[in-house]
Amino acid sequence: MNATTRLRPAISLAVVLLAFAAVPMSISGAAVALPGIGADLGASGAPLQWVMNAYNLTFASFTLVAGSTADLIGRRRVFVIGATVFAAGSLLSAAAPGIVLLDVARALSGIGAAGVFASGGAILATTFDGAARTRAFAALGSAAGLGLAMGPTLSGWLVGALGWRAAFGLNAALLTLALAFAGFLAESRARRRPRLDVPGAVLFVAGLGALVLGTVQGPEWGWSSPGVLALLAAGIASLVLFAVVQRRSAAPLLDLSLVRNRRFLALCMVPVVTTFGFVTLLTYLPTYLVGASGFSAQRAGTILLLMTAPVLLAPPLAGALVNRGVPGRVLITLSLAMFAAGNAWLTVIGPATSVAVIAAPLLLIGLGAGVSFGVGDGMAMSLVEPEQAGMATGFLNTMRIGSEAIVIAVFGAVLVSLIGARLGSTELAAKVAAGDLSDGASATLAAGFTDALHIALYATAAVCAVGTVAIAAALAEPRRPVPASGEQPVAAKVG
């Protein structure tokens, strides 16, 4: 065995980790660049917000299609195509002369991100096994956490020093570097390779796209507006029809046996609970700290490290515990319980609350996210056959990205509604939820923001608690049958 062959798995892991850090960085980092983009391109409101929405919409809609395609034509091939599209979209974003082209370029980047995420996890699942696979997926969780946590910081530095275009240039550079070493990735595909289920792909992309679009536009158009209701109805109808088509298809885009596997489905719900318990805070807590508490953006970012730092450190520790015999389902259950407890505990926050008071709940929430990132994906992939690695990874990440797009929009709408009920103005409430407390008595606005946030936190804690119980029950080992009198007990298979 030559040196290249020995190093190939390590280089493959490094390539996938680099890509998995860059993709979420493009989500969290772009938010920091929005003010500079708006000022430079003369954009505001919906066109400016679609710099974020376009990326999330296509990312969520195309991930399952990319995963199933990877099983058919090759996981490395889809990774390379996805990384190339992502890098091209990022370069176009950096060079965009106007907001419309920027939004289109961001949508293109989202399609590329879907290819990277769907194929990257499948590549690791087919490259490693056993304890090595657990370590690889723990590292994958750390990489995604690194990108999510460092995105705002790196983008903030680049925007301040070189302008907003440099933030998108960084994303292009990282994926170009990953592409330079993509030749070390081993190619793999399913042994049986039928044609791509085109009707299923069209129905799924259209259905999920309409559902996400309707949810994203709900706060702006109004949840009862004909446009939003039509989008939501069309999305649900398309996804129901998609399920019918998949049941009858000989080569479905999504094998419904995966969804019927209760343990796999439970592990796919872990990212959904994580979105409620962690990602919503990552999105809206900084605006509270800046608007209600009066911290600078830099100070708010530093405080947020209390929640994001554990995401970088906990995944390898969680993976090591699994390899030492700690059941993964125990760690998953504990991580989700941390979300419930941490969000309820965070209700101690107020405009004059010191950082020391909120440090413990933020650390607890971050630790929960780190543990779930470290073991959840690896456990899910251990339950599927290598033939379906791309499809399974695509479905898992569709649940992750789709839930982020939908839950963040709903959380924001609920927060605005709660603030508006206290201030008597929806327009003013929207400004307060965005961290702008300049229109009126700041103490009154901060109190309204605080009350609304407390209710939202308690509701989030309740959702996480319900999710914890449901997922723990689904992951529980089946009970061993009690042998009848005189019969020899049969050894149960360990799952």
Side-chain angles (χ1 to χ4, degrees), residues 10 49 152 171 185 216 269 309 317 334 364 397 408 425:
Q49 194 59 41
N171 296 329
L185 300 175
V216 167
M269 291 302 297
L317 296 178
L334 286 175
L364 185 64
N397 283 299
I408 288 173
S425 169

Side-chain angles (χ1 to χ4, degrees), residues 423-437:
L423 303 182
S425 169
T426 302
E427 183 179 351
L428 179 59
K431 290 184 177 181
V432 171
D436 182 1
L437 277 65

Side-chain angles (χ1 to χ4, degrees), residues 85-185:
V85 171
F86 182 91
S90 297
L91 283 175
L92 285 174
S93 298
I99 191 64
V100 174
L101 183 56
L102 176 57
D103 289 344
V104 171
R106 289 288 288 165
L108 183 65
S109 293
I111 295 173
V116 169
F117 254 50
S119 59
I123 288 171
L124 295 189
T126 53
T127 301
F128 301 94
D129 54 24
R133 176 188 284 180
T134 301
R135 290 192 295 269
F137 274 95
L140 198 65
S142 290
L146 176 65
L148 200 63
M150 293 305 295
T153 302
L154 288 176
S155 293
W157 290 341
L158 288 170
V159 170
L162 302 173
W164 63 269
R165 297 180 188 276
F168 295 114
L170 173 63
N171 296 329
L174 291 176
L175 265 296
T176 300
L177 179 60
L179 283 169
F181 293 90
F184 286 92
L185 300 175

Side-chain angles (χ1 to χ4, degrees), residues 477-490:
E477 296 287 351
R479 292 183 178 181
R480 299 181 183 183
V482 178
S485 178
E487 292 182 2
Q488 293 297 321
V490 179

Side-chain angles (χ1 to χ4, degrees), residues 255-278:
D255 186 342
L256 295 182
S257 66
L258 282 176
V259 182
R260 288 192 292 267
N261 182 331
R262 65 178 177 85
R263 298 182 70 194
F264 176 77
L265 183 59
L267 290 166
C268 288
M269 291 302 297
V270 170
V272 179
V273 178
T274 302
T275 295
F276 276 99
F278 176 75

Side-chain angles (χ1 to χ4, degrees), residues 301-310 355-356 358-360 362-364 366-367:
T302 302
I303 293 171
L304 215 63
L305 286 174
L306 291 167
M307 192 171 71
T308 56
V355 176
I358 62 173
L362 290 179
L363 285 168
L364 185 64
L367 183 60

Side-chain angles (χ1 to χ4, degrees), residues 110-342:
I111 295 173
V116 169
F117 254 50
S119 59
I123 288 171
L124 295 189
T126 53
T127 301
F128 301 94
D129 54 24
R133 176 188 284 180
T134 301
R135 290 192 295 269
F137 274 95
L140 198 65
S142 290
L146 176 65
L148 200 63
M150 293 305 295
T153 302
L154 288 176
S155 293
W157 290 341
L158 288 170
V159 170
L162 302 173
W164 63 269
R165 297 180 188 276
F168 295 114
L170 173 63
N171 296 329
L174 291 176
L175 265 296
T176 300
L177 179 60
L179 283 169
F181 293 90
F184 286 92
L185 300 175
E187 184 60 285
S188 65
R189 55 176 64 87
R191 289 189 296 272
R192 177 176 170 270
R193 299 191 295 276
R195 289 184 177 181
L196 178 67
D197 178 14
V198 175
V202 172
L203 282 171
F204 186 80
V205 171
L208 186 58
L211 195 62
V212 172
L213 180 58
T215 307
V216 167
Q217 293 301 116
E220 182 180 348
W221 294 352
W223 291 101
S224 59
S225 67
V228 168
L229 292 177
L231 284 168
L232 295 178
I236 293 171
S238 296
L239 292 176
V240 170
L241 184 57
F242 167 77
V244 173
V245 170
Q246 297 308 283
R247 184 174 290 120
R248 298 177 178 177
S249 175
L253 183 76
L254 174 63
D255 186 342
L256 295 182
S257 66
L258 282 176
V259 182
R260 288 192 292 267
N261 182 331
R262 65 178 177 85
R263 298 182 70 194
F264 176 77
L265 183 59
L267 290 166
C268 288
M269 291 302 297
V270 170
V272 179
V273 178
T274 302
T275 295
F276 276 99
F278 176 75
V279 180
T280 52
L281 284 177
L282 201 63
T283 305
Y284 289 100
L285 186 59
T287 62
Y288 180 86
L289 294 174
V290 172
S293 299
F295 292 120
S296 66
Q298 183 177 8
R299 175 67 168 157
T302 302
I303 293 171
L304 215 63
L305 286 174
L306 291 167
M307 192 171 71
T308 56
V311 177
L312 312 181
L313 303 175
L317 296 178
L321 288 175
V322 170
N323 284 337
R324 288 179 178 271
V326 177
R329 66 182 182 277
V330 172
L331 293 177
I332 288 293
T333 302
L334 286 175
S335 72
L336 301 184
M338 289 177 194
F339 292 141

